[in-house]
Amino acid sequence: MRKSSKLIAGLGVVAGLGVALAPLGVFAATPTRLDNLHITSTEACSINGVEISAANAGDTATASTFTDPVNHYDWAYAPGTEYDFTRRTEGTGTATENTFTIVCNYADGFKIVANAVNPTNATLEHTIAAGTTGPEYWAAKILSTSGGMDTDYTGNTPFAIDTANQKIVFVEGATQATGASFSMGYVAKTAADTPAGTYEGSVSYTLVKGA
């Protein structure tokens, strides 16, 4: 404040002495200041409310993999007919739909890839391979999508998961706050000569950055 007061007083003296004031015209009449704001929104995703580490996003071998321990599919039926798997909630036996809801702010979107282990009866050394035709097979199907989730597969039509990191669904851009969802189902068929017994397999779904 003292410095400003001296400056004003000095100008007053100069004006009183009749010195030309024209040079003062080079200053703006109203001083301005520009504040530059730099805001960074960090990348973050969650699947069914489970946060995914940004450091591992896109790494199919680590924290990008979501595993739900209550996804149990039970099936028991006569050979020669295609049947739907039924998901059973662990501990209750209640049939439920297998839905994944993803909230993700990746600007370039994301995709879900699948890797399958074909159902095998280790004791009988027999495996049911992925497929959609033939005497025996198992297949997946997408029951529904919502919230901007897209897929290259026809809804509710069985397809084989038979390649590594097979793209199942994708979103081209960030999701809304409510997220994007998809539901998976499965079918299986055994042949008349498929050895009787219980077969176990699995499918892992991985979120990968970029649609």
Side-chain angles (χ1 to χ4, degrees), residues 28-199:
T30 304
T32 61
R33 186 182 77 177
L34 179 65
D35 288 343
N36 293 311
L37 305 181
H38 296 272
I39 301 173
T40 300
S41 175
T42 59
E43 294 181 335
C45 295
S46 67
I47 301 179
N48 289 11
V50 178
E51 295 294 332
I52 298 175
S53 170
N56 293 321
D59 185 344
T60 59
T62 55
S64 292
T65 301
F66 173 78
T67 303
D68 185 349
V70 301
N71 286 353
H72 296 287
Y73 290 86
D74 302 322
W75 66 101
Y77 43 80
T81 303
E82 182 182 274
Y83 283 88
D84 286 298
F85 288 24
T86 301
R87 177 175 181 256
R88 303 288 180 183
T89 303
E90 188 174 28
T92 65
T94 303
T96 57
E97 187 178 46
N98 185 18
T99 300
F100 298 87
T101 299
I102 302 165
V103 178
C104 194
N105 67 351
Y106 292 156
D108 52 354
F110 64 88
K111 57 181 170 284
I112 299 294
V113 300
N115 289 277
V117 176
N118 292 327
T120 300
N121 186 310
T123 302
L124 301 172
E125 297 183 350
H126 188 85
T127 300
I128 301 174
T132 56
T133 60
E136 66 173 20
Y137 56 82
W138 76 274
K141 59 182 180 179
I142 297 175
L143 304 178
S144 64
T145 59
S146 63
M149 189 73 75
D150 203 354
T151 181
D152 293 328
Y153 296 102
T154 302
N156 215 32
T157 300
F159 62 92
I161 301 179
D162 52 8
T163 60
N165 296 321
Q166 186 168 330
K167 185 168 77 170
I168 303 300
V169 293
F170 57 93
V171 173
E172 296 179 337
T175 64
Q176 299 296 318
T178 54
S181 301
F182 71 102
S183 298
M184 295 298 301
Y186 305 93
V187 298
K189 178 183 177 183
T190 57
D193 59 350
T194 299
T198 299
Y199 294 78

